[in-house]
Amino acid sequence: MNKPAQKPPAPVLSATVGEVITLPPVTVRRRKPQWRQFSLSLFQRLIPAVLGMGLLVVAWQIAALNSKGFPTPLSTLDSAITLFSDPFYNAGPNDQGIGWNILASLQRVAIGFGLAAIVGIPAGFLIGRFTFLARMFNPIVALLRPVSPLAWLPIGLLLFQKAEPASSWTIFICSIWPMVINTAEGVKRIPDDYLNVARVLKLSEWTVMRKILFPAVLPAVLTGVRLSIGIAWLVIVAAEMLTGGLGIGFWIWNEWNNLNVENILIAIVIIGVVGLLLEQGLMLLARRFSWEK
């Protein structure tokens, strides 16, 4: 009968006295409260902006003291308080509040810019998608894009015989080019693998446009839209100065004829604020649809 194999005895470890190593104290960083981080970030953003605005006001005051008839910031503020106390009064066709003038300008911008988006974005898709159309229309875009906005206004007056459509026409023809160019460039930068898969699956051109091209080109489209809205808001002021009627541009020209320089400075601030809000709104929309993380 075989005996079970015995396990070798476990080695006996000799008890040795180890050396004690003293480690340096570890400093634990406490995380700052969320409200403190938010306050610090707000402080870092707010202080430079306040300093910049303060520098602008100081330069304004110096210019007012060294120029005859130029209003000071305090007198302009008093005029602004009076102006915005009743921004929507209506005392006749040529005497309406600043609020109505801003709304009239925004309405013209919406019409011209909307038409430019309806025409420009599909045109950019076609130019970027088809080489023949790109070779056909690229010289036209390169020729007409640098033309000054005011050069288009007489053409609009001749075509429509009225000031109101002429202003919207000028906005349309000046704001369409960034949308066409950015959309076309976005389509051209789509990887060839996407289109090769579409050919293998034998997708229709409409399906390719809807399922592949549009999602991939949307950030470029929104970039063109953001550039176009800035151009549209710049153009409307100059166009309204020449066409007259209700609008912020005509209001500035009318205040100049009445030598109300304070109101002209107020209008400049209003134009800047409205343009900033329009551009920032479209930037938020562009970030919402961006693929970048």
Side-chain angles (χ1 to χ4, degrees), residues 40-156:
L40 181 60
S41 177
L42 182 63
F43 181 80
Q44 292 174 346
R45 292 175 179 269
L46 189 61
I47 291 301
V50 172
L51 291 176
M53 295 301 296
L55 182 63
L56 177 62
V57 172
V58 170
W60 183 356
Q61 181 66 34
I62 294 174
L65 294 176
N66 294 283
S67 179
K68 183 178 180 180
F70 198 81
T72 63
L74 186 59
S75 64
T76 305
L77 179 61
D78 293 337
S79 299
I81 294 173
T82 303
L83 186 65
F84 287 103
S85 61
D86 188 12
F88 291 100
Y89 76 89
N90 190 345
N94 295 324
D95 188 11
Q96 299 186 29
I98 185 65
W100 296 117
N101 287 275
I102 296 174
L103 292 178
S105 297
L106 288 175
Q107 181 181 0
R108 294 189 184 99
V109 168
I111 294 173
F113 176 77
L115 292 174
I118 292 174
V119 176
I121 294 175
F125 270 102
L126 295 176
I127 292 174
R129 183 76 177 93
F130 302 105
T131 305
F132 178 79
L133 294 179
R135 293 173 179 173
M136 180 187 298
F137 289 105
N138 280 339
I140 299 176
V141 174
L143 176 66
L144 299 182
R145 185 176 61 87
V147 177
S148 173
L150 296 181
W152 292 108
L153 186 59
I155 304 300

Side-chain angles (χ1 to χ4, degrees), residues 33-279:
Q34 188 174 2
W35 66 269
R36 183 173 296 178
Q37 292 180 352
F38 177 76
S39 301
L40 181 60
S41 177
L42 182 63
F43 181 80
Q44 292 174 346
R45 292 175 179 269
L46 189 61
I47 291 301
V50 172
L51 291 176
M53 295 301 296
L55 182 63
L56 177 62
V57 172
V58 170
W60 183 356
Q61 181 66 34
I62 294 174
L65 294 176
N66 294 283
S67 179
K68 183 178 180 180
F70 198 81
T72 63
L74 186 59
S75 64
T76 305
L77 179 61
D78 293 337
S79 299
I81 294 173
T82 303
L83 186 65
F84 287 103
S85 61
D86 188 12
F88 291 100
Y89 76 89
N90 190 345
N94 295 324
D95 188 11
Q96 299 186 29
I98 185 65
W100 296 117
N101 287 275
I102 296 174
L103 292 178
S105 297
L106 288 175
Q107 181 181 0
R108 294 189 184 99
V109 168
I111 294 173
F113 176 77
L115 292 174
I118 292 174
V119 176
I121 294 175
F125 270 102
L126 295 176
I127 292 174
R129 183 76 177 93
F130 302 105
T131 305
F132 178 79
L133 294 179
R135 293 173 179 173
M136 180 187 298
F137 289 105
N138 280 339
I140 299 176
V141 174
L143 176 66
L144 299 182
R145 185 176 61 87
V147 177
S148 173
L150 296 181
W152 292 108
L153 186 59
I155 304 300
L157 292 172
L158 180 62
L159 291 174
F160 301 104
Q161 301 296 319
K162 290 182 180 179
E164 190 68 26
S167 301
S168 300
W169 150 262
T170 306
I171 296 171
F172 164 79
I173 198 64
C174 292
S175 60
I176 192 174
W177 309 121
M179 287 185 278
V180 172
I181 294 172
N182 281 273
T183 303
E185 288 297 325
V187 172
K188 292 178 181 178
R189 292 179 182 179
I190 294 177
D192 293 335
D193 295 340
Y194 295 176
L195 300 178
N196 292 334
V197 171
R199 295 189 188 98
V200 171
L201 297 177
K202 298 181 179 180
L203 299 179
S204 64
E205 191 63 36
W206 170 247
T207 304
V208 172
M209 285 278 188
R210 185 167 49 92
K211 295 292 187 179
I212 298 177
L213 296 184
F214 186 74
V217 180
L218 188 57
V221 171
L222 292 175
T223 300
V225 169
R226 180 174 62 85
L227 296 174
S228 295
I229 194 64
I231 295 174
W233 186 242
L234 289 173
V235 170
I236 189 59
V237 176
E240 287 175 344
M241 285 185 178
L242 298 178
T243 57
L246 191 64
I248 189 67
F250 176 72
W251 189 80
I252 292 175
W253 189 252
N254 190 42
E255 294 301 313
W256 167 250
N257 292 330
N258 296 326
L259 297 180
N260 293 328
V261 186
E262 290 89 351
N263 288 348
I264 296 176
L265 296 175
I266 295 170
I268 291 174
V269 175
I270 293 173
I271 293 170
V273 170
V274 173
L276 179 64
L277 292 177
L278 292 174
E279 186 173 356

